[in-house]
Amino acid sequence: MVRPSSLPPSISLIPVLLRLLLLPPSLVSSSFSNAPLSWTSPHEPCYHPDGRPRHCLSEFINAAYGVQVNVTHSLHGPDNNPNITTLTDLHNPHNLTCWRARAGADSGDWVFTLPLGRRFEITYISLQFCSQGQPSNPISISILKSMDHGRSWRPMQHYSSNCLEDFKQPSLTIAQTRHQETEPLCSDPRPLQRQRGSTVLAFSTLDGRPSSPDFDYSPTLQDWVTATDIRVVFHRTSNNRNRNRDNNFWVPSPLAISDLQVGGRCKCNGHASRCRRDDAGQAVCVCEHHTAGPDCDMCEDFYVDRPWHRATPTHPNPCVACECNGHSNKCRFSMEVFQQSGRKSGGVCLKCRHHTAGRHCQYCQNGFTRDTSKPLDHRKACQPCQCHPLGAVGRWCNQTSGQCLCREGVTGLRCNRCAPGYKQGKSPLRPCIRESEQTKERSGNTERSPEECVSYCQPSEVKVRMNLETYCLKDYVLKVQVRGMERSGPWWQFSIAVQTVFRTGSSSRIRRGSQSLWVPDRDLGCGCPALHVGRTFLLIGAEEGERSLAPEESRLVADRSTLALQWREHWSPKLRGFRGQDKRGRYSPSSAAVSRLEAEK
């Protein structure tokens, strides 16, 4: 058995065609027809012995073997048995099958359509005619291909003894320019040769193409030889043209064909050495180099650090894995990143694990710092920041050094000791105070003498009444929950959650959700407003007093003019009624006197 499986498509097909024409038909057919789509090799063809990837080719096979051929006639429609296998079955002296045109179809076109089932890179197409005595009729043949499973067709070659008359083309066997090498040529049927009593026509897809020696580097020629379907058309099998009796390249009449072969390889783009049948019976490439797809024309998931390319003898172009340092198995390709890296790397890791972040999962998330005692790919390479809960502001630290952000007067990597010149204080919000500071602290608020507070701030100890008129005169009426407090110079910053906005001024931007409330220290020391962490209040204020002294003009300020009433649930319907009337513009002195909100201060 002859196995021409080592010839790359870029090599001239003359030796192959000589074997086809000179060897006995039985031996030639069996070498292609019996070749399976899956084969093994004593070594891995897609890799060097040291494991480096290299360009590889799938086995050279007869892609037509066993495939049903659809036969139709331009005048009479489908053949008696339109799907025949006599043209593509095992062809040897013990199995001589022959298809013959039916009687009454001596004129018109016979069309033979061969679906290959997948993309192949076609090397040659051969037809063997049955021996039926001396030739009597001239022939005109067209060979076409489809790249989209029969939806569209493109001619590859024409044969005629009169190309100008039949196809409006001059007779040529070699493309004159590189632009013409992907166009169909027309020549007289001189490729027809006698072989043991039969006549053979063999068409090579690359013969006469100037770029054929550079096939592996020519996307144009690679596209030219790619096909999913082949069609052979016999034009006017009988006519009354003048015949040249010296021309012996005619076929018998009626038309009779014994064998159709399509030599080629599964289109695997240099990334597979095998082509096998899947569960659905379709031929698929067994992809290597971390490629995927039926034609190995894309990269596997996670191997997208570089764009996909076809393999060549000098550059195998394997797909490259993203560099995620073992913290992710998902990534995407970014052309922008690839261009910025000098076209070296474009992978971006997704869903980094083990508290890592960054394009390569090379950084630690907020709240974690790098443990330099462990390698970067260790699952515990990032450890939580060890910030002191009182001495540090938040739980974040420098991702490299682990240094926490310390409060005033606090120092240390973890913010766990007082700086020189400071001593430990009593307030959790000011854990360290200056040694010369005589300020007394109580529950985080600065104390003031009773006399000072009486003259400065006099909270009401009677019932607080609010009607619609009073409601409409306020700049904001809010239901808030106090979550925390922290001193900031002459101010206290309260962390609040605004639960309901009953009223805001036209220029105010107060919204539901987390916000900061700023209170002057001298007001809070006298308990106006009286705010406590963890409780819910009705906050009623005006844009007066100390608002202009706020750290930022847009921040919410409460001062001695602001009322902070412990929230009572039965207020909600009344306040919503006020809000509705206010929005509808229904305020009037008479209506304002009816609805009142009362509370003990």
Side-chain angles (χ1 to χ4, degrees):
M1 176 179 293
V2 178
R3 182 187 295 274
S5 60
S6 60
L7 292 175
S10 58
I11 296 178
S12 174
L13 266 294
I14 294 177
V16 176
L17 297 179
L18 288 177
R19 291 182 182 180
L20 175 68
L21 300 175
L22 299 179
L23 291 176
S26 60
L27 184 56
V28 174
S29 296
S30 62
S31 66
F32 294 117
S33 302
N34 287 335
L37 281 175
S38 179
W39 65 292
T40 58
S41 175
H43 64 280
E44 178 50 60
C46 295
Y47 296 91
H48 291 282
D50 60 0
R52 290 179 296 114
R54 65 180 176 184
H55 175 255
C56 54
L57 296 171
S58 59
E59 186 184 19
F60 191 89
I61 63 171
N62 172 21
Y65 174 67
V67 180
Q68 291 184 342
V69 181
N70 181 269
V71 181
T72 59
H73 192 270
S74 60
L75 301 178
H76 303 282
D79 191 28
N80 295 331
N81 182 14
N83 297 316
I84 60 175
T85 58
T86 56
L87 300 179
T88 58
D89 60 357
L90 185 63
H91 184 71
N92 58 43
H94 304 289
N95 186 38
L96 296 177
T97 56
C98 188
W99 175 90
R100 292 182 177 84
R102 66 174 180 261
D106 294 335
S107 61
D109 299 344
W110 279 105
V111 181
F112 297 79
T113 303
L114 177 71
L116 303 179
R118 62 154 292 123
R119 280 184 287 272
F120 278 85
E121 290 187 343
I122 305 302
T123 303
Y124 75 88
I125 300 170
S126 72
L127 282 166
Q128 184 167 347
F129 299 92
C130 301
S131 176
Q132 294 292 326
Q134 294 298 321
S136 59
N137 287 335
I139 62 171
S140 177
I141 303 175
S142 293
I143 298 178
L144 302 91
K145 72 162 187 175
S146 173
M147 297 180 63
D148 52 13
H149 300 279
R151 287 186 291 272
S152 62
W153 293 91
R154 177 181 179 182
M156 298 186 76
Q157 180 70 18
H158 300 297
Y159 290 107
S160 175
S161 57
N162 193 334
C163 290
L164 285 175
E165 179 180 339
D166 290 341
F167 299 105
K168 306 300 186 290
Q169 292 183 222
S171 180
L172 293 174
T173 57
I174 299 177
Q176 302 300 307
T177 64
R178 288 183 179 270
H179 175 73
Q180 192 183 28
E181 66 184 359
T182 57
E183 297 296 330
L185 301 179
C186 181
S187 63
D188 62 16
R190 296 192 185 278
L192 290 172
Q193 298 192 17
R194 304 291 296 175
Q195 176 65 39
R196 293 183 179 272
S198 299
T199 304
V200 177
L201 180 145
F203 163 63
S204 172
T205 57
L206 292 179
D207 277 357
R209 311 292 164 174
S211 301
S212 59
D214 299 323
F215 174 83
D216 289 310
Y217 304 93
S218 174
T220 301
L221 278 187
Q222 293 162 12
D223 180 77
W224 164 252
V225 302
T226 299
T228 60
D229 301 77
I230 296 296
R231 175 170 286 177
V232 181
V233 181
F234 290 86
H235 306 281
R236 297 186 301 275
T237 58
S238 177
N239 57 42
N240 296 320
R241 293 187 304 173
N242 294 328
R243 301 182 178 89
N244 181 1
R245 292 298 181 182
D246 295 331
N247 185 348
N248 59 354
F249 298 107
W250 297 343
V251 297
S253 180
L255 180 64
I257 306 175
S258 62
D259 191 45
L260 170 62
Q261 294 189 15
V262 177
R265 307 176 190 273
C266 292
K267 187 176 182 67
C268 301
N269 292 292
H271 292 300
S273 62
R274 293 183 294 158
C275 196
R276 62 173 179 82
R277 300 284 182 185
D278 62 11
D279 295 339
Q282 298 296 321
V284 295
C285 300
V286 181
C287 299
E288 302 288 349
H289 305 161
H290 298 292
T291 58
D295 300 339
C296 304
D297 54 352
M298 59 188 296
C299 290
E300 284 183 344
D301 291 342
F302 194 71
Y303 288 84
V304 294
D305 196 51
R306 299 176 190 172
W308 176 91
H309 288 291
R310 181 185 173 100
T312 67
T314 54
H315 295 89
N317 292 321
C319 293
V320 179
C322 295
E323 179 53 62
C324 297
N325 293 296
H327 300 300
S328 176
N329 56 8
K330 295 182 179 180
C331 65
R332 63 177 178 87
F333 176 78
S334 169
M335 180 56 72
E336 181 180 0
V337 173
F338 183 68
Q339 297 287 0
Q340 292 175 351
S341 68
R343 302 184 65 84
K344 294 181 179 179
S345 173
V348 178
C349 301
L350 304 174
K351 297 183 178 180
C352 294
R353 296 171 296 180
H354 311 142
H355 308 292
T356 59
R359 177 192 161 198
H360 299 299
C361 301
Q362 76 276 33
Y363 302 124
C364 293
Q365 292 178 348
N366 289 334
F368 291 82
T369 184
R370 178 79 169 84
D371 185 353
T372 56
S373 65
K374 296 180 175 60
L376 182 58
D377 59 356
H378 195 279
R379 63 187 306 270
K380 294 185 178 180
C382 292
Q383 61 180 359
C385 297
Q386 302 294 322
C387 300
H388 194 280
L390 297 181
V393 180
R395 300 179 181 179
W396 296 274
C397 62
N398 185 284
Q399 296 181 355
T400 303
S401 64
Q403 174 65 56
C404 301
L405 180 61
C406 300
R407 296 181 184 273
E408 180 185 1
V410 182
T411 188
L413 186 68
R414 299 175 53 196
C415 303
N416 57 349
R417 65 179 187 272
C418 291
Y422 287 80
K423 65 179 181 180
Q424 187 170 351
K426 297 180 181 179
S427 170
L429 297 177
R430 296 191 64 193
C432 295
I433 60 175
R434 294 185 182 275
E435 294 180 351
S436 59
E437 194 172 319
Q438 301 298 324
T439 305
K440 297 181 182 180
E441 299 180 351
R442 184 187 65 183
S443 301
N445 294 341
T446 304
E447 288 188 356
R448 293 182 182 271
S449 63
E451 294 81 7
E452 184 180 3
C453 287
V454 169
S455 61
Y456 176 77
C457 173
Q458 298 182 14
S460 174
E461 296 182 356
V462 298
K463 287 187 176 181
V464 177
R465 294 182 174 89
M466 184 174 69
N467 56 24
L468 182 59
E469 179 182 7
T470 306
Y471 174 92
C472 292
L473 293 176
K474 295 299 180 179
D475 291 311
Y476 61 82
V477 180
L478 312 172
K479 177 186 176 183
V480 303
Q481 181 185 38
V482 181
R483 294 180 174 178
M485 58 187 293
E486 180 178 4
R487 187 175 186 128
S488 178
W491 293 83
W492 283 89
Q493 180 183 5
F494 284 82
S495 298
I496 64 172
V498 179
Q499 297 181 349
T500 307
V501 179
F502 294 106
R503 175 176 173 78
T504 59
S506 58
S507 61
S508 177
R509 298 182 179 180
I510 302 174
R511 299 289 186 271
R512 292 181 58 185
S514 299
Q515 294 205 26
S516 294
L517 177 69
W518 296 84
V519 181
D521 176 57
R522 62 172 179 255
D523 290 359
L524 193 64
C526 289
C528 47
L531 296 172
H532 301 277
V533 176
R535 298 182 183 178
T536 303
F537 295 89
L538 177 66
L539 209 62
I540 306 171
E543 295 182 357
E544 298 175 352
E546 306 291 342
R547 174 173 292 276
S548 61
L549 303 177
E552 292 184 8
E553 290 294 336
S554 61
R555 292 191 176 181
L556 179 63
V557 175
D559 56 16
R560 56 187 173 181
S561 66
T562 303
L563 290 178
L565 307 178
Q566 187 81 25
W567 175 256
R568 298 181 183 180
E569 198 59 40
H570 66 271
W571 292 347
S572 184
K574 187 67 66 178
L575 288 169
R576 294 184 189 277
F578 285 170
R579 181 173 62 183
Q581 294 181 63
D582 182 28
K583 287 185 176 181
R584 291 189 295 270
R586 295 183 178 180
Y587 163 72
S588 66
S590 59
S591 63
V594 176
S595 300
R596 293 186 178 183
L597 177 72
E598 297 185 356
E600 293 288 346
K601 176 68 177 178

